[in-house]
Short mmCIF file of all heavy atoms in Angstrom, two decimals:
data_model
loop_
_atom_site.label_atom_id
_atom_site.label_comp_id
_atom_site.label_asym_id
_atom_site.label_seq_id
_atom_site.Cartn_x
_atom_site.Cartn_y
_atom_site.Cartn_z
N TRP A 118 170.96 131.99 20.60
CA TRP A 118 169.55 131.71 20.84
C TRP A 118 169.26 131.23 22.27
O TRP A 118 169.92 130.42 22.77
CB TRP A 118 169.07 130.63 19.84
CG TRP A 118 167.56 130.35 19.87
CD1 TRP A 118 166.89 129.82 20.88
CD2 TRP A 118 166.63 130.67 18.88
NE1 TRP A 118 165.58 129.69 20.52
CE2 TRP A 118 165.38 130.24 19.27
CE3 TRP A 118 166.81 131.25 17.58
CZ2 TRP A 118 164.24 130.36 18.51
CZ3 TRP A 118 165.64 131.40 16.80
CH2 TRP A 118 164.39 130.92 17.28
N HIS A 119 168.26 131.86 22.92
CA HIS A 119 167.82 131.50 24.23
C HIS A 119 166.29 131.36 24.27
O HIS A 119 165.64 132.13 23.67
CB HIS A 119 168.25 132.51 25.31
CG HIS A 119 169.75 132.53 25.54
ND1 HIS A 119 170.43 131.50 26.11
CD2 HIS A 119 170.63 133.42 25.25
CE1 HIS A 119 171.67 131.80 26.20
NE2 HIS A 119 171.87 132.99 25.71
N ASN A 120 165.87 130.31 24.91
CA ASN A 120 164.45 130.15 25.00
C ASN A 120 164.01 130.46 26.45
O ASN A 120 164.78 130.76 27.30
CB ASN A 120 164.02 128.67 24.63
CG ASN A 120 164.64 127.61 25.51
OD1 ASN A 120 164.42 127.68 26.69
ND2 ASN A 120 165.26 126.62 24.89
N ALA A 121 162.65 130.32 26.66
CA ALA A 121 162.08 130.70 28.00
C ALA A 121 162.40 129.72 29.03
O ALA A 121 162.21 129.99 30.23
CB ALA A 121 160.58 130.92 27.82
N GLY A 122 162.88 128.51 28.65
CA GLY A 122 163.27 127.51 29.69
C GLY A 122 162.13 126.85 30.41
O GLY A 122 162.32 126.46 31.55
N ASP A 123 160.91 126.81 29.81
CA ASP A 123 159.83 126.06 30.56
C ASP A 123 159.22 125.05 29.66
O ASP A 123 159.69 124.82 28.56
CB ASP A 123 158.80 127.10 31.04
CG ASP A 123 158.22 127.97 29.93
OD1 ASP A 123 158.15 127.49 28.71
OD2 ASP A 123 157.66 129.00 30.15
N ASN A 124 158.13 124.45 30.11
CA ASN A 124 157.57 123.31 29.35
C ASN A 124 156.68 123.73 28.16
O ASN A 124 156.19 122.90 27.49
CB ASN A 124 156.64 122.48 30.32
CG ASN A 124 155.51 123.21 30.91
OD1 ASN A 124 155.35 124.40 30.77
ND2 ASN A 124 154.67 122.48 31.65
N ARG A 125 156.62 125.07 27.88
CA ARG A 125 155.85 125.57 26.77
C ARG A 125 156.75 125.85 25.55
O ARG A 125 156.28 126.24 24.54
CB ARG A 125 155.08 126.74 27.13
CG ARG A 125 153.93 126.48 28.16
CD ARG A 125 153.06 127.74 28.39
NE ARG A 125 153.83 128.86 28.78
CZ ARG A 125 153.51 130.10 28.64
NH1 ARG A 125 152.42 130.43 28.01
NH2 ARG A 125 154.25 131.08 29.11
N VAL A 126 158.01 125.72 25.70
CA VAL A 126 159.01 125.96 24.61
C VAL A 126 158.79 124.86 23.54
O VAL A 126 158.74 123.63 23.82
CB VAL A 126 160.43 125.92 25.11
CG1 VAL A 126 161.43 126.07 24.01
CG2 VAL A 126 160.68 127.06 26.13
N ARG A 127 158.72 125.34 22.28
CA ARG A 127 158.61 124.36 21.13
C ARG A 127 159.88 123.48 21.12
O ARG A 127 161.01 124.01 21.43
CB ARG A 127 158.59 125.12 19.84
CG ARG A 127 157.42 125.90 19.59
CD ARG A 127 157.55 126.68 18.28
NE ARG A 127 156.32 127.39 17.89
CZ ARG A 127 155.98 128.60 18.30
NH1 ARG A 127 156.87 129.21 19.15
NH2 ARG A 127 154.94 129.19 17.94
N HIS A 130 162.74 124.90 19.22
CA HIS A 130 163.34 126.06 19.87
C HIS A 130 164.25 125.59 21.09
O HIS A 130 165.22 126.24 21.39
CB HIS A 130 162.33 127.10 20.30
CG HIS A 130 161.70 127.75 19.21
ND1 HIS A 130 160.96 128.88 19.33
CD2 HIS A 130 161.70 127.49 17.85
CE1 HIS A 130 160.50 129.29 18.10
NE2 HIS A 130 160.94 128.41 17.20
N GLU A 131 163.81 124.57 21.71
CA GLU A 131 164.57 123.95 22.78
C GLU A 131 165.90 123.45 22.28
O GLU A 131 167.01 123.63 22.95
CB GLU A 131 163.78 122.80 23.44
CG GLU A 131 164.37 122.35 24.76
CD GLU A 131 163.49 121.43 25.47
OE1 GLU A 131 162.46 120.93 24.87
OE2 GLU A 131 163.79 121.07 26.65
N GLU A 134 168.69 126.24 21.91
CA GLU A 134 169.23 126.84 23.09
C GLU A 134 170.76 126.87 23.06
O GLU A 134 171.38 125.79 22.91
CB GLU A 134 168.70 126.19 24.36
CG GLU A 134 169.34 126.72 25.66
CD GLU A 134 168.96 128.16 25.96
OE1 GLU A 134 167.85 128.55 25.56
OE2 GLU A 134 169.77 128.83 26.60
N PRO A 149 164.45 134.57 16.88
CA PRO A 149 163.70 134.61 18.14
C PRO A 149 162.57 135.65 18.09
O PRO A 149 162.76 136.75 17.72
CB PRO A 149 164.75 134.94 19.19
CG PRO A 149 166.01 134.50 18.59
CD PRO A 149 165.91 134.75 17.16
N GLN A 154 153.71 133.36 19.03
CA GLN A 154 153.85 133.39 20.55
C GLN A 154 155.26 132.87 20.94
O GLN A 154 155.42 132.35 22.04
CB GLN A 154 152.73 132.61 21.19
CG GLN A 154 151.42 133.24 21.02
CD GLN A 154 150.39 132.74 21.93
OE1 GLN A 154 150.45 132.98 23.08
NE2 GLN A 154 149.41 132.12 21.37
N CYS A 155 156.25 133.04 20.15
CA CYS A 155 157.61 132.67 20.53
C CYS A 155 158.09 133.61 21.60
O CYS A 155 158.02 134.87 21.53
CB CYS A 155 158.52 132.75 19.31
SG CYS A 155 160.26 132.40 19.73
N ARG A 156 158.67 133.05 22.67
CA ARG A 156 159.20 133.88 23.81
C ARG A 156 160.71 133.83 23.89
O ARG A 156 161.27 134.15 24.91
CB ARG A 156 158.56 133.35 25.07
CG ARG A 156 157.03 133.53 25.08
CD ARG A 156 156.33 132.79 26.24
NE ARG A 156 156.56 131.35 26.17
CZ ARG A 156 157.05 130.60 27.12
NH1 ARG A 156 157.41 131.12 28.30
NH2 ARG A 156 157.19 129.31 26.96
N CYS A 157 161.27 133.24 22.84
CA CYS A 157 162.75 133.16 22.82
C CYS A 157 163.36 134.58 22.64
O CYS A 157 162.64 135.45 22.16
CB CYS A 157 163.21 132.28 21.66
SG CYS A 157 162.57 130.57 21.87
N TYR A 158 164.63 134.66 22.93
CA TYR A 158 165.36 136.00 22.75
C TYR A 158 166.77 135.75 22.26
O TYR A 158 167.38 134.78 22.55
CB TYR A 158 165.30 136.79 23.98
CG TYR A 158 166.05 136.18 25.17
CD1 TYR A 158 167.31 136.56 25.39
CD2 TYR A 158 165.41 135.26 25.95
CE1 TYR A 158 168.05 135.98 26.46
CE2 TYR A 158 166.12 134.72 27.03
CZ TYR A 158 167.41 135.07 27.31
OH TYR A 158 168.18 134.49 28.29
#
Side-chain angles (χ1 to χ4, degrees):
W118 186 290
H119 290 292
N120 64 53
D123 59 23
N124 63 352
R125 295 185 302 152
V126 173
R127 290 175 176 87
H130 291 194
E131 191 170 9
E134 175 65 30
Q154 295 196 66
C155 176
R156 298 169 297 127
C157 299
Y158 64 95

